[in-house]
Amino acid sequence: GENVEQHPSTLSVQEGDSAVIKCTYSDSASNYFPWYKQELGKRPQLIIDIRSNVGEKKDQRIAVTLNKTAKHFSLHITETQPEDSAVYFCAASSDQAGTALIFGKGTTLSVSS
Amino acid sequence: SAVISQKPSRDICQRGTSLTIQCQVDSQVTMMFWYRQQPGQSLTLIATANQGSEATYESGFVIDKFPISRPNLTFSTLTVSNMSPEDSSIYLCSVVEGEDYGYTFGSGTRLTVV
């Protein structure tokens, strides 16, 4: 089955800096790669996703890149703000309808002002 | 996107007892997924519930401990049986919709076993 590795486990940056979180996956059939942000006591919230027919996707300060050959994808947050502080999870699933998301172990991002 | 109502939102239970968690979706969905999130950890898939058939469990999870029902396309329950303190976690249900296969999560059930 799918296995998703996520690094780093913790990341501390200064406000205004960029943050990068990286994930690798094992199942070459996976082709959907979402990123979730989870604040304390809340459910995971989708912040951006990418499918395998695209190499990069951007939404304001957030971007995701995908390298299918190397089986890795990354989350890039630019101009970080204190409210970006949270736990971020990457996940992967295959094209098969009804396939569950498999999550990475998460990255705790701390943005200090 | 689908809206999921998950109940209860939290509970404190005695060890040895069972708790049933419910998820109601406002639209028909083929698959529902149940996850566990232990304190400070990631989401771990417990099982996939397809209407009309037995749930498919991931390695490390068994039906006797986590029985699942899926009586129709909008509802599912997960029971945590014979609970121990190690079962203290957040349990979340999730659904995937349509060809875009966007995933939606319930608000979670925070379970504490004492």
Side-chain angles (χ1 to χ4, degrees), chain B residues 12-27:
Chain B
I12 301 173
C13 300
Q14 296 291 321
R15 67 177 68 200
T17 63
S18 299
L19 176 71
T20 295
I21 301 166
Q22 300 179 359
C23 274
Q24 178 74 53
V25 190
D26 69 346
S27 59

Side-chain angles (χ1 to χ4, degrees), chain A residues 43-113:
Chain A
R43 81 186 85 181
Q45 295 286 348
L46 177 70
I47 57 172
I48 196 166
D49 58 10
I50 192 168
R51 293 186 169 90
S52 61
N53 57 344
V54 179
E56 183 174 0
K57 184 176 179 180
K58 189 173 182 180
D59 182 4
Q60 299 183 337
R61 297 187 295 109
I62 295 173
V64 56
T65 59
L66 171 66
N67 183 327
K68 282 220 73 176
T69 302
K71 294 184 191 171
H72 66 71
F73 56 111
S74 300
L75 177 71
H76 305 253
I77 305 174
T78 59
E79 302 173 25
T80 53
Q81 301 167 3
E83 50 266 39
D84 294 329
S85 297
V87 181
Y88 291 82
F89 295 100
C90 63
S93 72
S94 80
D95 191 41
Q96 298 299 316
T99 301
L101 287 174
I102 303 300
F103 285 82
K105 292 190 181 301
T107 297
T108 300
L109 173 64
S110 299
V111 181
S112 54
S113 54

